[in-house]
Amino acid sequence: MLSRTLDHGVLVVRVHEDPGAGPRGAFTAQIRDLVHAYEPAPIVVVVDVAAATPGVVGALMAAYGECGDLDVLTSVVTHSAVARRLFEAAVVRDDSRLVVHSRIDVAVATAYAVTA
């Protein structure tokens, strides 16, 4: 379901598939725990097309909200235009600083440049 790598000091977490309604709480906790473990490294969450569902968007926004007390630059990347619109709507609604990208290389380069 998840994989992670470090790219130029940026934690890149890839979400491969929607875990389903039952395990979403555990999924949210995994993301939150990774953010805490790698703090203060910026994090880029890559949502593969198979995982670009409203449930995953909600779970990631919940994890992001739970990490709001941390000063960690967080970005999300997805090729799914529908998922990007869902993230962007949530960002506006929650007045959050989550950055939404369509390209992984741009997200990682931006996170690296901002925190370097």
Side-chain angles (χ1 to χ4, degrees), residues 46-90:
V46 180
V47 180
D48 287 347
V49 173
T53 66
V56 168
V57 171
L60 288 172
M61 290 305 296
Y64 179 74
E66 291 177 15
C67 296
D69 60 329
L70 303 176
D71 191 26
V72 174
L73 176 63
T74 307
S75 303
V76 66
V77 177
T78 183
H79 293 299
S80 167
V82 172
R84 279 196 311 275
R85 285 193 294 275
L86 290 171
F87 278 115
E88 288 165 353

Side-chain angles (χ1 to χ4, degrees), residues 1-2 15 17-31 55-56 58-60 62-63:
M1 172 172 61
L2 287 179
V15 182
E17 60 189 3
D18 186 333
R24 277 201 197 108
F27 171 74
T28 298
Q30 278 184 304
I31 298 293
V56 168
L60 288 172

Side-chain angles (χ1 to χ4, degrees), residues 44 75 77 99-114:
V44 172
S75 303
V77 177
V99 182
V100 182
H101 292 277
S102 61
R103 293 182 40 188
I104 298 167
D105 59 335
V106 172
V108 171
T110 301
Y112 175 74
V114 169

